[in-house]
Amino acid sequence: KQEVTQIPAALSVPEGENLVLNCSFTDSAIYNLQWFRQDPGKGLTSLLLIQSSQREQTSGRLNASLDKSSGRSTLYIAASQPGDSATYLCAASGPDMRFGAGTRLTVKP
Amino acid sequence: EAEVAQSPRYKITEKSQAVAFWCDPISGHATLYWYRQILGQGPELLVQFQDESVVDDSQLPKDRFSAERLKGVDSTLKIQPAELGDSAMYLCASSLRDRGFVEAFFGQGTRLTVV
């Protein structure tokens, strides 16, 4: 069974900092890795999806990388803003889709 | 823009009562997932459908939970009887599965409080 781990569990940074969120997964036979954002009490919003054949994907200030052989993905957020404060979740998709526990990010003005 | 619809958004129920949640996936998405998310934790897969068939319900507490997806479109998740520990966010997602490509879209969830 796929197990997904996210580090750190929580992160607090001042506005403007660049930061990295980490995701690791135990079974490298995935189809793709998807990063989501979740605001308190809300559903999940897809940020980036990296297919198993890709190494990275970019959207605005977000960049996600995937190293399937080592079972790792990172989400890089450039020039963080208070509006980035949320929980960030990664999900590994194979026959099913499994999530990590998330990283709760707080960006202080 | 197509969305996954869930209802109700919020539900308060008493312990031992029955409760049901509904999900309407994005049109054409054959795969439908139900997740449970306890506050402060990641979503836990309860059941996964491919069309109308269950492909994974290994984490579904079958003594009290049931799920169906008649006609392979919308789906209902039921809890009977509800217990205090069932208080959580219940999330529905849908996806296409095309040659190993899976992009999932989520609804807004149903927040269940059992009192």
Side-chain angles (χ1 to χ4, degrees):
Chain A
K1 174 184 157 185
Q2 178 75 271
E3 293 187 6
V4 182
T5 303
Q6 290 189 245
I7 295 173
L11 184 62
S12 181
V13 300
E15 182 177 3
E17 273 204 9
N18 302 324
L19 52 100
V20 175
L21 309 182
N22 298 290
C23 172
S24 62
F25 46 94
T26 56
D27 185 351
S28 61
I30 61 170
Y31 300 153
N32 49 246
L33 193 292
Q34 199 167 355
W35 282 92
F36 293 88
R37 169 183 173 139
Q38 187 176 33
D39 293 296
K42 299 294 179 65
L44 278 63
T45 301
S46 182
L47 297 173
L48 289 165
L49 181 148
I50 313 175
Q51 296 183 59
S52 61
S53 58
Q54 297 175 323
R55 295 285 292 181
E56 65 178 71
Q57 280 287 335
T58 298
S59 175
R61 294 182 294 109
L62 305 179
N63 175 275
S65 67
L66 175 64
D67 184 343
K68 207 174 79 158
S69 61
S70 67
R72 294 181 180 179
S73 177
T74 61
L75 178 67
Y76 176 82
I77 303 176
S80 58
Q81 302 172 359
D84 295 331
S85 298
T87 296
Y88 291 81
L89 294 151
C90 67
S93 290
D96 57 16
M97 186 169 63
R98 302 283 175 173
F99 282 83
T103 294
R104 189 173 67 255
L105 173 66
T106 303
V107 181
K108 297 172 289 186
Chain B
E1 184 177 300
E3 293 183 341
V4 176
Q6 286 189 250
S7 67
R9 286 292 310 278
Y10 305 94
K11 180 71 178 179
I12 300 174
T13 192
E14 292 184 348
K15 187 175 62 171
S16 79
Q17 295 298 303
V19 63
F21 314 128
W22 177 79
C23 173
D24 190 14
I26 293 173
S27 177
H29 281 194
T31 307
L32 185 146
Y33 315 80
W34 282 103
Y35 287 87
R36 175 172 61 186
Q37 186 178 28
I38 295 169
L39 194 63
Q41 299 182 18
E44 172 194 17
L45 181 65
L46 292 176
V47 62
Q48 178 178 334
F49 290 92
Q50 185 67 22
D51 299 307
E52 67 276 8
S53 300
V54 173
V55 297
D56 187 345
D57 63 357
S58 57
Q59 300 301 308
L60 188 71
K62 298 181 187 65
D63 57 335
R64 298 185 300 107
F65 286 64
S66 64
E68 62 181 12
R69 191 184 183 195
L70 301 176
K71 301 181 182 178
V73 182
D74 58 339
S75 176
T76 302
L77 178 68
K78 296 179 181 177
I79 308 175
Q80 183 173 18
E83 296 181 353
L84 296 177
D86 296 331
S87 295
M89 176 77 90
Y90 290 82
L91 296 161
C92 178
S94 69
S95 71
L96 292 168
R97 281 184 173 261
D98 181 15
R99 286 165 288 181
F101 178 80
V102 179
E103 184 172 17
F105 297 86
F106 279 77
Q108 286 299 300
T110 296
R111 168 70 66 186
L112 173 67
T113 302
V114 182
V115 298

